[in-house]
Amino acid sequence: MLTRFRALTVTGAVCASSLLAAAPNAFAEVEPGGWTSVSPTYTVQERGCGQVDGLTFQLTCSTASGDQRAERRYATYTGGTRQFEGYFRISSLSGTRISLKQTFNESAAGPYFMLAAERGGRLYAVHGGDTLSNAGTVGATVRVNTVHQVGTSHRTYINGSLKHTYASPGGSFYDKFGAYRTNSGNGPATVVWSNVHFWRK
């Protein structure tokens, strides 16, 4: 009985270790220290052929013009430092150049930072065109963190590594994520988000 108990204990420990190793590091803020978890409210935006079902965002058409979007738009913030974290998986992409995550400058009435994906996996900053990573291939799960010090800088991390830094003006901003056709892009596309979290300092 003792031998059997030990065997079961070891087997259980191995299984638990395997599960922990396979699980993503959700809710693991970058630049640790002094963060407070927050839960901002949001509205769902569906325009054109955009469709939202929970955390699944789809553009069902290949239209290369007009407002094609499926997004969550979160509450406005001003001042301080804000952090967003989320995991996305592009489950299908017949189109290209689809925005995944935005930090929107409400004061300037326009996008301030947009992270987008091209067919083939390239993740890039729409404004300036900088390549951040090639991790956005169909089926891959990618972790995104943005750290925004209003009036100072906006930093973007892909899978925990700093990939982009952008100067920030002051004013009012909000976070958006989902699937959104950029000016040079088109669907169809399906993007599934998970483990979304927000912090502030």
Side-chain angles (χ1 to χ4, degrees), residues 12-114:
V14 169
C15 289
S17 299
S18 299
L19 288 172
L20 287 172
N25 293 322
F27 311 146
E29 70 270 17
V30 296
E31 302 183 15
W35 294 102
T36 299
S37 179
V38 293
S39 299
T41 58
Y42 67 86
T43 57
V44 172
Q45 298 182 336
E46 295 176 318
R47 306 274 181 85
C49 65
Q51 297 181 6
V52 180
D53 181 9
L55 287 172
T56 298
F57 303 84
Q58 289 185 292
L59 301 180
T60 60
C61 63
S62 60
T63 304
S65 62
D67 195 1
Q68 314 298 332
R69 71 173 68 188
E71 296 179 301
R72 279 190 181 184
R73 188 267 203 215
Y74 280 80
T76 300
Y77 60 87
T78 56
T81 303
R82 305 285 174 144
Q83 181 168 173
F84 163 89
E85 178 182 83
Y87 291 74
F88 73 83
R89 177 175 55 83
I90 300 172
S91 61
S92 66
L93 182 58
S94 300
T96 191
R97 302 181 73 82
I98 301 300
S99 177
L100 303 167
K101 198 276 173 182
Q102 300 182 43
T103 304
F104 199 94
N105 187 344
E106 193 171 52
S107 300
Y112 156 67
F113 172 79
M114 299 173 70

